[in-house]
């Protein structure tokens, strides 16, 4: 007759290591998010737009974003251009679609003469729908 041992077999030992897989997954997702959003945050154009009581966003389906910074640099969309290149590009866009709206963002420190010159270039390109972009003024309590 065979008798078994009276000792209990040793059970599975508890795992004392931290499972790193979920932590690495979260870190990689955050890394991808920051890699995508970081260029978008630095590419934005900082302008001190004038404030107006009735400033409302335009709902134009297609528009051209034009901006002029306080130091006189011209921007067409996200591209910084000199005056000659700006005039050429705006003329091409005007020939392509003369009904397109131009949304003009001019810093309030830009002299009126520079803004008027910019408007003249846009109108010479055949684009007559010009919208001035402003910030909504804070309402008084």
């Amino acid at each position: 007759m065979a008798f078994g041992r009276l000792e209990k077999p040793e059970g599975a030992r508890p795992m004392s290591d931290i499972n790193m897989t979920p932590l690495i997954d979260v870190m990689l997702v955050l890394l991808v998010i920051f890699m995508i959003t970081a260029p978008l945050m630095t590419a934005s154009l900082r302008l001190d737009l004038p404030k107006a009581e009735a400033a409302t966003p335009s709902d134009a389906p297609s528009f051209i974003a034009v901006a002029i910074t306080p130091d006189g640099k011209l921007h067409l969309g996200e591209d910084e251009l000199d005056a000659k290149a700006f005039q050429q590009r705006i003329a091409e866009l005007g020939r392509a679609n003369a009904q397109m709206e131009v949304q003009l963002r001019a810093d309030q420190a830009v002299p009126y003469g520079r803004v008027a010159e910019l408007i003249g270039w846009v109108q010479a390109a055949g684009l007559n729908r010009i919208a001035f972009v402003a910030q909504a003024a804070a309402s008084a309590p």
Side-chain angles (χ1 to χ4, degrees):
M1 184 184 307
F3 290 99
R5 301 171 93 186
L6 295 175
E7 298 174 8
K8 288 186 174 181
E10 193 171 318
R13 301 186 75 174
M15 189 170 80
S16 62
D17 295 333
I18 297 175
N19 187 1
M20 295 296 289
T21 305
L23 297 175
I24 293 171
D25 289 345
V26 169
M27 185 225 21
L28 289 175
V29 167
L30 288 174
L31 179 67
V32 168
I33 289 171
F34 288 132
M35 287 173 57
I36 292 171
T37 59
L40 298 176
M41 292 170 41
T42 59
S44 65
L45 187 60
R46 303 264 184 234
L47 293 176
D48 186 19
L49 296 173
K51 294 174 180 36
E53 292 288 330
T56 57
S58 174
D59 58 351
S62 63
F63 63 90
I64 304 168
V66 173
I68 184 167
T69 59
D71 54 358
K73 294 181 181 173
L74 300 170
H75 294 267
L76 186 61
E78 293 294 323
D79 301 331
E80 183 178 322
L81 303 170
D82 62 349
K84 187 170 183 140
F86 178 84
Q87 290 175 2
Q88 290 173 348
R89 291 269 308 272
I90 202 78
E92 291 170 8
L93 292 170
R95 282 191 298 273
N97 184 1
Q99 296 302 316
M100 191 174 300
E101 180 178 281
V102 175
Q103 292 186 353
L104 176 61
R105 291 173 171 81
D107 193 285
Q108 63 185 357
V110 175
Y112 179 72
R114 291 282 297 150
V115 176
E117 182 181 31
L118 180 62
I119 292 171
W121 294 340
V122 170
Q123 287 178 336
L127 298 166
N128 294 317
R129 296 183 62 200
I130 302 173
F132 293 93
V133 179
Q135 287 180 342
S139 59

